[in-house]
Amino acid sequence: MNHTADVPDTGPRPVSDARPPELLPLPVGATLRRRRVADAAALNEAVRANLDHLRPWMPWAKTAPSMEHSIEMSRAGEEVWDAGTDFMYVLAPDAEPGEVIGAFGLHGRIGPGALEIGYWVSEQHVGRGLATAGARALAEAALALPGVERVEIHCDEANTASAAVPRKLGFRLDRVDAALVTAPSETGRKLIWVMDSTT
């Protein structure tokens, strides 16, 4: 869990001339699909149901989002996808495809040729390999894009559950950066995990 999956970057530069797949089926009974305005209600419900779970690590989880905010964020997600700067997904169980049980994203805010993976999974669905499977699918999709040579996962040093994901996937711990504390459980030490096209 890290704080990159809710707020899309609105930077103007596309990271690639191509786009990742809008649907990414996962081998764990769930699918990542491109986030649309039609997902706003289910996403709002999921965030509201998981505020206590998200608040320690997500600065945007301080208060429950209004429906208007969720619509606005979903609309912004569509716009940045079309612009090629960020690619926002919702996680849905295959048995109930209209439900949202998490959110994932590929974010172009870390510089040219690179995308940052962000994710969170609903508390009742943690421990099922969903974050790992989703991050794996996004890493593969990102590195398949022309011009993308590196993917990163950033998380606070104390967020051991989030750090377990890149470790399982073979990312290397590139460095530990000082960072502003923006959520209650953060330490101000950010782990930067990296996978590149040669890994």
Side-chain angles (χ1 to χ4, degrees), residues 23 48 72 82 98 118 146-147 154 156 161 166 168 171 181 188 193-194 199:
L23 283 175
R48 284 174 168 270
E72 178 186 329
D82 291 338
H154 299 183
D156 190 84
K168 288 176 190 173
F171 282 67
V181 172
W193 298 88
V194 175
T199 301

Side-chain angles (χ1 to χ4, degrees), residues 57-149:
W57 307 111
M58 306 289 193
W60 49 263
K62 292 175 184 173
T63 58
S66 66
M67 190 57 176
E68 291 75 17
H69 175 75
S70 295
I71 291 169
E72 178 186 329
M73 292 310 303
S74 295
R75 185 173 292 117
E78 289 194 8
E79 291 171 359
V80 293
W81 183 296
D82 291 338
T85 61
D86 288 73
F87 308 102
M88 313 298 289
Y89 292 83
V90 293
L91 177 67
D94 293 341
E96 297 181 64
E99 185 183 355
V100 169
I101 59 172
F104 286 66
L106 289 169
H107 307 278
R109 59 186 167 215
I110 56 173
L115 285 163
E116 180 186 346
I117 299 173
Y119 47 87
W120 66 264
V121 173
S122 295
E123 186 172 21
Q124 70 183 92
H125 294 282
V126 298
R128 300 181 184 180
L130 291 162
T132 302
R136 176 184 287 114
L138 288 182
E140 291 171 355
L143 291 173
L145 292 172
V148 176
E149 299 175 349

